Amino acid sequence: MSRNLNLIFLGPPGAGKGTQAKMIVDKYNIPQISTGDLMRAAVSSGSSMGDKVKGYMAAGALVPDDLVVEILLDRLSGDDCRDGFILDGFPRTVGQAESLEKALEKRGMKLSGVVAMMVPDEALLKRLTARRICKECSASYHLEFLKPKVEGKCDRCQGELYQRKDDSEEVILNRLKVYHDQTAPLIDFYQKRKALYTVDGNKKIEMIFSEICDIIDSLN
Ligand code: AMP
């Protein structure tokens, strides 16, 4: 690839950021960086960072900016991010967006674009309560609309599927509230920077993917 592709996928939990990011990874060969995945890995490893973040995650609250920014910037220094990256689930507050902006500027890097996926809350609740995730590759399935070929097994890597603890109805409702209060203001933030591209996340996965590819191909 001859140009850097530094992307952000913005949207509420369950909007399809992770699903679309995985498809973009395959097509454009840039890594997906999910702060949720990075922190779940920290929790599973029992590291001190994991201990610090697990209470927030279990409640569906945001992990404090300084901790998430530290994890994210460390990951962005990886060699595999040289040609670009897709941020999935980061930034989630204006403070995080400002830290990212400063960090990219310092590294002589620039955002290529922010893709915002819009889905109504009722649809998100239905998606998330029936969501199952692969333990190995974090691919996402739905018990009704996106069933795996073999029950309980990932189509991509045969990993075991599980339900995330924070995909319970009570925690989802809190995550949606947190999204509207703290993350939705980023739509305005990136609109002001003329970096925002909006897609309807309530369409078929392939159709959304095609729209996102058109957006990416139009970026310079
Ligand atoms: P996700 O996998 O993106 O849905 O994230 C799961 C949980 O991880 C969230 O509910 C938060 O507790 C935490 N988290 C992930 N990304 C962030 C972020 N950028 N800022 C704060 N907390 C985050």
Short mmCIF file of all heavy atoms in Angstrom, two decimals, residues 60-101:
data_model
loop_
_atom_site.label_atom_id
_atom_site.label_comp_id
_atom_site.label_asym_id
_atom_site.label_seq_id
_atom_site.Cartn_x
_atom_site.Cartn_y
_atom_site.Cartn_z
N GLY A 60 -19.88 -1.80 32.62
CA GLY A 60 -20.23 -1.11 31.37
C GLY A 60 -19.88 0.36 31.43
O GLY A 60 -20.37 1.16 30.63
N ALA A 61 -19.01 0.73 32.39
CA ALA A 61 -18.56 2.13 32.49
C ALA A 61 -17.29 2.30 31.67
O ALA A 61 -16.64 1.31 31.32
CB ALA A 61 -18.28 2.46 33.96
N LEU A 62 -16.93 3.54 31.39
CA LEU A 62 -15.69 3.75 30.66
C LEU A 62 -14.49 3.65 31.60
O LEU A 62 -14.54 4.12 32.73
CB LEU A 62 -15.68 5.13 29.98
CG LEU A 62 -16.66 5.34 28.83
CD1 LEU A 62 -16.43 6.70 28.19
CD2 LEU A 62 -16.55 4.24 27.79
N VAL A 63 -13.44 3.05 31.10
CA VAL A 63 -12.16 3.01 31.81
C VAL A 63 -11.58 4.43 31.73
O VAL A 63 -11.73 5.09 30.70
CB VAL A 63 -11.24 1.97 31.11
CG1 VAL A 63 -9.83 2.06 31.63
CG2 VAL A 63 -11.83 0.56 31.28
N PRO A 64 -10.95 4.94 32.81
CA PRO A 64 -10.44 6.32 32.79
C PRO A 64 -9.51 6.58 31.60
O PRO A 64 -8.73 5.69 31.19
CB PRO A 64 -9.69 6.44 34.11
CG PRO A 64 -10.33 5.42 35.01
CD PRO A 64 -10.76 4.29 34.12
N ASP A 65 -9.62 7.80 31.06
CA ASP A 65 -8.87 8.15 29.85
C ASP A 65 -7.37 7.83 29.93
O ASP A 65 -6.79 7.31 28.98
CB ASP A 65 -9.03 9.66 29.56
CG ASP A 65 -10.40 10.00 28.98
OD1 ASP A 65 -11.20 9.07 28.74
OD2 ASP A 65 -10.67 11.19 28.76
N ASP A 66 -6.74 8.17 31.07
CA ASP A 66 -5.28 8.01 31.11
C ASP A 66 -4.87 6.55 30.91
O ASP A 66 -3.89 6.26 30.21
CB ASP A 66 -4.68 8.58 32.42
CG ASP A 66 -5.33 8.01 33.67
OD1 ASP A 66 -6.47 7.49 33.57
OD2 ASP A 66 -4.72 8.07 34.75
N LEU A 67 -5.65 5.62 31.46
CA LEU A 67 -5.30 4.19 31.31
C LEU A 67 -5.50 3.73 29.87
O LEU A 67 -4.64 3.06 29.28
CB LEU A 67 -6.18 3.31 32.23
CG LEU A 67 -6.03 3.53 33.74
CD1 LEU A 67 -6.98 2.61 34.49
CD2 LEU A 67 -4.59 3.25 34.17
N VAL A 68 -6.64 4.09 29.27
CA VAL A 68 -6.93 3.65 27.89
C VAL A 68 -5.94 4.27 26.91
O VAL A 68 -5.46 3.61 25.98
CB VAL A 68 -8.35 4.06 27.43
CG1 VAL A 68 -8.75 3.31 26.19
CG2 VAL A 68 -9.36 3.80 28.51
N VAL A 69 -5.64 5.55 27.12
CA VAL A 69 -4.72 6.23 26.20
C VAL A 69 -3.34 5.56 26.27
O VAL A 69 -2.70 5.33 25.24
CB VAL A 69 -4.65 7.75 26.54
CG1 VAL A 69 -3.50 8.42 25.81
CG2 VAL A 69 -5.97 8.43 26.20
N GLU A 70 -2.92 5.20 27.48
CA GLU A 70 -1.62 4.52 27.63
C GLU A 70 -1.59 3.21 26.84
O GLU A 70 -0.66 2.94 26.08
CB GLU A 70 -1.38 4.25 29.13
CG GLU A 70 -0.04 3.61 29.42
CD GLU A 70 0.09 3.21 30.90
OE1 GLU A 70 -0.54 3.86 31.76
OE2 GLU A 70 0.81 2.22 31.16
N ILE A 71 -2.65 2.42 26.99
CA ILE A 71 -2.72 1.12 26.29
C ILE A 71 -2.75 1.33 24.78
O ILE A 71 -2.05 0.66 24.02
CB ILE A 71 -4.00 0.36 26.73
CG1 ILE A 71 -3.89 -0.07 28.19
CG2 ILE A 71 -4.26 -0.86 25.85
CD1 ILE A 71 -5.10 -0.82 28.72
N LEU A 72 -3.52 2.32 24.35
CA LEU A 72 -3.69 2.55 22.92
C LEU A 72 -2.39 3.03 22.27
O LEU A 72 -1.96 2.51 21.23
CB LEU A 72 -4.81 3.59 22.74
CG LEU A 72 -5.40 3.90 21.37
CD1 LEU A 72 -4.70 5.04 20.67
CD2 LEU A 72 -5.50 2.69 20.44
N LEU A 73 -1.73 4.02 22.91
CA LEU A 73 -0.52 4.58 22.30
C LEU A 73 0.60 3.56 22.25
O LEU A 73 1.37 3.50 21.29
CB LEU A 73 -0.07 5.85 23.04
CG LEU A 73 -1.04 7.03 22.94
CD1 LEU A 73 -0.45 8.28 23.58
CD2 LEU A 73 -1.43 7.32 21.50
N ASP A 74 0.63 2.70 23.25
CA ASP A 74 1.63 1.64 23.26
C ASP A 74 1.39 0.71 22.05
O ASP A 74 2.31 0.36 21.32
CB ASP A 74 1.49 0.87 24.59
CG ASP A 74 2.50 -0.23 24.70
OD1 ASP A 74 3.69 0.10 24.52
OD2 ASP A 74 2.11 -1.40 24.93
N ARG A 75 0.14 0.36 21.83
CA ARG A 75 -0.20 -0.53 20.71
C ARG A 75 0.08 0.13 19.35
O ARG A 75 0.53 -0.52 18.40
CB ARG A 75 -1.68 -0.95 20.83
CG ARG A 75 -2.21 -1.81 19.70
CD ARG A 75 -1.55 -3.18 19.66
NE ARG A 75 -1.93 -3.95 18.49
CZ ARG A 75 -1.35 -3.88 17.30
NH1 ARG A 75 -0.32 -3.07 17.13
NH2 ARG A 75 -1.76 -4.63 16.31
N LEU A 76 -0.16 1.47 19.29
CA LEU A 76 0.05 2.19 18.03
C LEU A 76 1.52 2.27 17.63
O LEU A 76 1.84 2.56 16.48
CB LEU A 76 -0.49 3.63 18.14
CG LEU A 76 -1.94 3.89 17.81
CD1 LEU A 76 -2.21 5.39 17.80
CD2 LEU A 76 -2.32 3.29 16.46
N SER A 77 2.41 2.03 18.60
CA SER A 77 3.84 2.06 18.27
C SER A 77 4.28 0.76 17.61
O SER A 77 5.43 0.64 17.20
CB SER A 77 4.71 2.25 19.51
OG SER A 77 4.07 2.95 20.49
N GLY A 78 3.39 -0.21 17.53
CA GLY A 78 3.74 -1.49 16.92
C GLY A 78 4.13 -1.32 15.46
O GLY A 78 3.58 -0.47 14.75
N ASP A 79 5.09 -2.12 15.02
CA ASP A 79 5.58 -2.07 13.63
C ASP A 79 4.47 -2.26 12.61
O ASP A 79 4.51 -1.68 11.53
CB ASP A 79 6.58 -3.22 13.44
CG ASP A 79 7.99 -2.71 13.50
OD1 ASP A 79 8.14 -1.49 13.74
OD2 ASP A 79 8.91 -3.53 13.30
N ASP A 80 3.48 -3.08 13.00
CA ASP A 80 2.41 -3.39 12.04
C ASP A 80 1.48 -2.20 11.80
O ASP A 80 0.61 -2.26 10.93
CB ASP A 80 1.59 -4.61 12.53
CG ASP A 80 0.94 -4.37 13.88
OD1 ASP A 80 1.44 -3.52 14.65
OD2 ASP A 80 -0.06 -5.04 14.17
N CYS A 81 1.65 -1.09 12.56
CA CYS A 81 0.79 0.08 12.37
C CYS A 81 1.43 1.10 11.42
O CYS A 81 0.90 2.19 11.23
CB CYS A 81 0.49 0.76 13.70
SG CYS A 81 -0.45 -0.28 14.83
N ARG A 82 2.58 0.74 10.85
CA ARG A 82 3.31 1.70 10.01
C ARG A 82 2.50 2.20 8.81
O ARG A 82 2.56 3.35 8.43
CB ARG A 82 4.61 1.07 9.50
CG ARG A 82 5.82 1.47 10.31
CD ARG A 82 7.04 0.98 9.61
NE ARG A 82 6.71 -0.26 8.88
CZ ARG A 82 7.44 -1.34 8.88
NH1 ARG A 82 8.56 -1.38 9.55
NH2 ARG A 82 7.09 -2.41 8.19
N ASP A 83 1.73 1.28 8.18
CA ASP A 83 0.96 1.67 6.98
C ASP A 83 -0.44 2.14 7.31
O ASP A 83 -1.20 2.54 6.43
CB ASP A 83 0.85 0.49 6.01
CG ASP A 83 2.19 0.17 5.38
OD1 ASP A 83 3.04 1.08 5.32
OD2 ASP A 83 2.39 -0.99 4.96
N GLY A 84 -0.81 2.02 8.58
CA GLY A 84 -2.14 2.45 8.97
C GLY A 84 -2.74 1.55 10.03
O GLY A 84 -2.11 0.59 10.49
N PHE A 85 -3.97 1.89 10.42
CA PHE A 85 -4.65 1.13 11.47
C PHE A 85 -6.13 1.49 11.46
O PHE A 85 -6.52 2.52 10.89
CB PHE A 85 -4.05 1.48 12.85
CG PHE A 85 -3.94 2.96 13.09
CD1 PHE A 85 -5.05 3.71 13.46
CD2 PHE A 85 -2.73 3.61 12.92
CE1 PHE A 85 -4.96 5.07 13.66
CE2 PHE A 85 -2.63 5.00 13.12
CZ PHE A 85 -3.74 5.72 13.49
N ILE A 86 -6.94 0.62 12.06
CA ILE A 86 -8.35 0.95 12.30
C ILE A 86 -8.57 0.93 13.79
O ILE A 86 -8.37 -0.11 14.44
CB ILE A 86 -9.30 -0.12 11.73
CG1 ILE A 86 -8.97 -0.42 10.29
CG2 ILE A 86 -10.75 0.30 11.88
CD1 ILE A 86 -9.70 -1.65 9.80
N LEU A 87 -8.97 2.04 14.35
CA LEU A 87 -9.30 2.08 15.77
C LEU A 87 -10.77 1.72 15.95
O LEU A 87 -11.65 2.36 15.36
CB LEU A 87 -9.01 3.46 16.34
CG LEU A 87 -7.58 3.96 16.21
CD1 LEU A 87 -7.41 5.28 16.96
CD2 LEU A 87 -6.59 2.92 16.73
N ASP A 88 -11.00 0.67 16.73
CA ASP A 88 -12.35 0.15 16.93
C ASP A 88 -12.68 0.29 18.42
O ASP A 88 -12.12 -0.43 19.25
CB ASP A 88 -12.34 -1.32 16.44
CG ASP A 88 -13.43 -2.18 17.04
OD1 ASP A 88 -14.36 -1.64 17.65
OD2 ASP A 88 -13.32 -3.41 16.91
N GLY A 89 -13.51 1.28 18.75
CA GLY A 89 -13.85 1.49 20.17
C GLY A 89 -12.97 2.53 20.85
O GLY A 89 -13.00 2.67 22.07
N PHE A 90 -12.19 3.24 20.10
CA PHE A 90 -11.35 4.34 20.61
C PHE A 90 -11.31 5.41 19.52
O PHE A 90 -11.12 5.05 18.36
CB PHE A 90 -9.93 3.87 20.92
CG PHE A 90 -9.09 4.95 21.55
CD1 PHE A 90 -8.90 5.02 22.91
CD2 PHE A 90 -8.50 5.94 20.74
CE1 PHE A 90 -8.14 6.04 23.49
CE2 PHE A 90 -7.75 6.96 21.31
CZ PHE A 90 -7.56 7.00 22.68
N PRO A 91 -11.44 6.68 19.85
CA PRO A 91 -11.71 7.26 21.16
C PRO A 91 -13.18 7.13 21.55
O PRO A 91 -14.04 6.96 20.70
CB PRO A 91 -11.33 8.73 20.97
CG PRO A 91 -11.55 9.00 19.52
CD PRO A 91 -11.26 7.72 18.81
N ARG A 92 -13.45 7.24 22.85
CA ARG A 92 -14.82 7.19 23.36
C ARG A 92 -15.17 8.44 24.15
O ARG A 92 -16.29 8.53 24.64
CB ARG A 92 -14.99 5.97 24.27
CG ARG A 92 -15.55 4.73 23.55
CD ARG A 92 -15.47 3.61 24.54
NE ARG A 92 -16.42 2.58 24.44
CZ ARG A 92 -16.17 1.38 23.90
NH1 ARG A 92 -15.05 1.16 23.28
NH2 ARG A 92 -17.07 0.42 23.95
N THR A 93 -14.22 9.34 24.31
CA THR A 93 -14.51 10.63 24.96
C THR A 93 -13.76 11.72 24.19
O THR A 93 -12.78 11.41 23.46
CB THR A 93 -13.98 10.67 26.42
OG1 THR A 93 -12.55 10.58 26.39
CG2 THR A 93 -14.53 9.55 27.28
N VAL A 94 -14.19 12.96 24.39
CA VAL A 94 -13.49 14.06 23.72
C VAL A 94 -12.04 14.13 24.22
O VAL A 94 -11.12 14.36 23.43
CB VAL A 94 -14.25 15.39 23.95
CG1 VAL A 94 -13.44 16.58 23.47
CG2 VAL A 94 -15.61 15.35 23.24
N GLY A 95 -11.85 13.86 25.50
CA GLY A 95 -10.48 13.86 26.05
C GLY A 95 -9.59 12.85 25.33
O GLY A 95 -8.44 13.15 24.99
N GLN A 96 -10.11 11.65 25.07
CA GLN A 96 -9.32 10.64 24.34
C GLN A 96 -9.02 11.11 22.92
O GLN A 96 -7.92 10.92 22.40
CB GLN A 96 -10.08 9.32 24.28
CG GLN A 96 -10.20 8.61 25.63
CD GLN A 96 -11.01 7.32 25.55
OE1 GLN A 96 -11.22 6.75 24.48
NE2 GLN A 96 -11.46 6.84 26.69
N ALA A 97 -10.02 11.75 22.29
CA ALA A 97 -9.83 12.21 20.91
C ALA A 97 -8.73 13.28 20.86
O ALA A 97 -7.90 13.30 19.95
CB ALA A 97 -11.14 12.76 20.36
N GLU A 98 -8.71 14.14 21.89
CA GLU A 98 -7.70 15.19 21.91
C GLU A 98 -6.31 14.59 22.16
O GLU A 98 -5.33 15.00 21.55
CB GLU A 98 -8.04 16.23 22.99
CG GLU A 98 -9.22 17.09 22.56
CD GLU A 98 -9.80 17.96 23.67
OE1 GLU A 98 -9.48 17.72 24.87
OE2 GLU A 98 -10.61 18.85 23.35
N SER A 99 -6.25 13.59 23.05
CA SER A 99 -4.95 12.94 23.30
C SER A 99 -4.44 12.27 22.03
O SER A 99 -3.24 12.32 21.71
CB SER A 99 -5.07 11.87 24.38
OG SER A 99 -5.44 12.44 25.58
N LEU A 100 -5.35 11.63 21.31
CA LEU A 100 -4.95 10.95 20.07
C LEU A 100 -4.44 11.97 19.05
O LEU A 100 -3.40 11.76 18.41
CB LEU A 100 -6.15 10.18 19.50
CG LEU A 100 -5.91 9.49 18.16
CD1 LEU A 100 -4.92 8.34 18.32
CD2 LEU A 100 -7.23 8.97 17.56
N GLU A 101 -5.17 13.06 18.93
CA GLU A 101 -4.79 14.10 17.97
C GLU A 101 -3.36 14.59 18.25
O GLU A 101 -2.53 14.67 17.35
CB GLU A 101 -5.77 15.26 18.13
CG GLU A 101 -5.96 16.12 16.90
CD GLU A 101 -7.21 17.00 17.06
OE1 GLU A 101 -7.32 17.73 18.06
OE2 GLU A 101 -8.08 16.93 16.19
#
